[in-house]
Amino acid sequence: MKTPSSLLLLTEALRHLPGVGPKSAQRMAYHLLQHDRDGAALLGRALTQAVDQIRHCSLCNTFTENDLCEVCLDADRDATLLCVVETPTDQLMIEQTLTYKGLYFVLMGRLSPLDGIGPKDLQLEKLIARATDGVVAEVVLATNFTNEGEATAHYISETMKARGLKVSRLARGVPVGGELEYVDAGTIARAMLDRRAT
Amino acid sequence: MKTPSSLLLLTEALRHLPGVGPKSAQRMAYHLLQHDRDGAALLGRALTQAVDQIRHCSLCNTFTENDLCEVCLDADRDATLLCVVETPTDQLMIEQTLTYKGLYFVLMGRLSPLDGIGPKDLQLEKLIARATDGVVAEVVLATNFTNEGEATAHYISETMKARGLKVSRLARGVPVGGELEYVDAGTIARAMLDRRAT
Ligand SMILES: [Zn+2]
Ligand SMILES: [Zn+2]
């Protein structure tokens, strides 16, 4: 008894999704083929299209379909402020507080020695080049207040201060150990207003 | 601040996967675009191809790329025996015991009134037509020994006996409440050999 090859391929391919093991990959494949073929076709097209069209903003590193993202193109932003966040979601959380009108740099991760993610993997050269453009005067560190986020902030702070930049960190209104994505906007607003030099 | 539309589409499409909510869809999208674009492209192609090529065997209802699956085409099978299982995985478990040489019918589900899955949704007409081909003499019920599997077995048993067919059920070597997929082959072999008329 042989499983059809396109079903085997699909089950294998589903394992590229984070957190999906062999059992759940099989359950997903059966579900899609049995109950949601339109959804499967849609997801197939969405993946192909996203891989084709999504790249990184050449200034802030976030996901975009163009060379520069919308925020970086916005002339009303204060170009002397550069806020460093871990993910696009974190950036969105800060935007929603309406307390910050500067620009951003999105790390797309954090330093994580245990997972083998060092400064090179985070492309910190791109951040350094961005922050030393002669216009940026203050770097606001808004990485998470986890151990890894704090270590990342510390590393970037040292690097930036060595280049003569003013560096600040969101105030500790954010609970220690907390992740921005799960904190309410009021707390983030407080922390943004209370940011302090490091 | 606007998320690129192809990224929004991808995040939405990932929610067609069972058990994936908005947060994990976003995590999956970021992971694929940031760390595994080849995997994302592969999964996109695999989904498109599977939807295109996979259909149901016109005899046993399992997934196949042809009109008939390999098992149904096997002339060495005992065509007087028809074993009813819930999923292709359950069929594979039974095949591995080497205790059964008849044919199969794969329900691709089970009766589940709470989820609104009744006899029509399970396409039981297809099973009835298959079992009353004049060759099948015994229907072996190998649905799971869960409440829903037992109810499904009971319903099919009544339907088949009303049509003069002999009906048997795997013996209760399978633990009550257990699912075939997680039971060892020895237990399933014992249950197959001890199957009893219902
Ligand atoms: Zn940008
Ligand atoms: Zn078949």
Side-chain angles (χ1 to χ4, degrees):
Chain A
M1 176 181 160
K2 232 177 55 190
T3 305
S5 65
S6 55
L7 180 54
L8 279 180
L9 279 173
L10 174 57
T11 310
E12 274 307 302
L14 282 164
R15 299 200 50 198
H16 283 276
L17 297 170
V20 174
K23 285 268 177 197
S24 39
Q26 192 169 70
R27 209 168 301 129
M28 285 174 167
Y30 287 175
H31 172 86
L32 290 174
L33 291 171
Q34 182 67 15
H35 300 293
D36 194 6
R37 283 175 172 253
D38 288 349
L42 184 79
L43 178 55
R45 287 193 301 272
L47 282 160
T48 304
Q49 188 182 322
V51 169
D52 193 49
Q53 300 189 356
I54 297 282
R55 44 179 147 162
H56 292 279
C57 173
S58 54
L59 271 181
C60 77
N61 201 42
T62 197
F63 294 125
T64 175
E65 284 163 355
N66 307 296
D67 181 47
L68 293 178
C69 75
E70 231 187 13
V71 174
C72 287
L73 283 172
D74 183 351
D76 291 337
R77 295 269 171 173
D78 180 351
T80 67
L81 289 175
L82 187 70
C83 180
V84 178
V85 292
E86 293 183 17
T87 66
T89 310
D90 293 342
Q91 179 182 2
L92 192 62
M93 299 298 289
I94 292 176
E95 284 291 288
Q96 285 170 357
T97 71
L98 306 175
T99 54
Y100 179 75
K101 283 296 168 200
L103 293 167
Y104 289 89
F105 189 89
V106 184
L107 294 171
M108 295 289 178
R110 65 208 65 84
L111 292 179
S112 179
L114 290 179
D115 302 322
I117 300 172
K120 276 212 171 152
D121 305 290
L122 272 191
Q123 296 184 283
L124 289 184
E125 304 84 11
K126 192 173 170 182
L127 167 59
I128 293 168
R130 175 71 188 83
T132 55
D133 67 347
V135 179
V136 172
E138 178 183 348
V139 174
V140 182
L141 298 174
T143 54
N144 285 313
F145 283 71
T146 56
N147 286 341
E148 292 175 347
E150 291 279 26
T152 306
H154 180 77
Y155 184 93
I156 295 172
S157 174
E158 296 301 306
T159 312
M160 293 301 159
K161 284 194 283 194
R163 282 161 181 81
L165 285 156
K166 185 180 164 196
V167 182
S168 60
R169 178 93 169 102
L170 290 201
R172 284 200 175 272
V174 180
V176 173
E179 302 193 346
L180 289 191
E181 196 170 335
Y182 301 99
V183 171
D184 65 282
T187 306
I188 297 181
R190 184 76 258 160
M192 174 59 76
L193 297 170
D194 284 352
R195 69 184 186 270
R196 55 182 173 70
T198 62
Chain B
M1 178 182 160
K2 231 177 57 190
T3 304
S5 65
S6 54
L7 180 54
L8 278 180
L9 279 173
L10 174 57
T11 309
E12 274 307 302
L14 283 164
R15 299 200 49 197
H16 284 276
L17 297 170
V20 174
K23 284 269 178 197
S24 40
Q26 190 169 73
R27 210 169 302 125
M28 285 175 168
Y30 287 176
H31 172 85
L32 290 173
L33 290 171
Q34 181 68 17
H35 299 294
D36 193 7
R37 282 174 171 254
D38 288 349
L42 185 77
L43 178 55
R45 287 193 302 272
L47 282 160
T48 305
Q49 189 182 320
V51 169
D52 193 48
Q53 299 190 358
I54 296 282
R55 43 178 148 165
H56 293 279
C57 175
S58 52
L59 271 181
C60 77
N61 200 42
T62 197
F63 293 125
T64 175
E65 283 163 356
N66 307 297
D67 181 47
L68 293 177
C69 76
E70 233 186 13
V71 174
C72 287
L73 283 172
D74 183 350
D76 291 337
R77 295 271 171 171
D78 181 351
T80 67
L81 289 175
L82 188 70
C83 180
V84 179
V85 292
E86 294 183 18
T87 67
T89 310
D90 293 341
Q91 178 182 3
L92 191 62
M93 299 299 288
I94 291 176
E95 284 292 286
Q96 284 170 359
T97 70
L98 306 175
T99 54
Y100 179 76
K101 283 296 167 201
L103 293 167
Y104 289 90
F105 189 89
V106 185
L107 294 171
M108 296 287 179
R110 65 209 66 85
L111 293 180
S112 179
L114 289 180
D115 301 323
I117 300 172
K120 278 213 167 151
D121 305 290
L122 271 192
Q123 295 185 283
L124 289 183
E125 305 84 12
K126 191 173 170 180
L127 168 57
I128 293 168
R130 176 70 188 85
T132 56
D133 68 347
V135 180
V136 171
E138 178 182 348
V139 174
V140 182
L141 298 174
T143 54
N144 285 313
F145 283 71
T146 55
N147 287 342
E148 291 176 346
E150 292 278 25
T152 306
H154 179 76
Y155 183 93
I156 295 173
S157 175
E158 297 301 305
T159 312
M160 293 301 158
K161 283 195 282 196
R163 282 162 180 80
L165 285 156
K166 186 179 162 199
V167 182
S168 60
R169 177 95 169 100
L170 290 201
R172 284 198 175 274
V174 180
V176 173
E179 302 194 349
L180 289 189
E181 197 170 333
Y182 300 99
V183 171
D184 65 284
T187 305
I188 297 181
R190 185 74 258 159
M192 175 59 75
L193 298 169
D194 283 353
R195 68 182 185 271
R196 56 180 173 72
T198 60

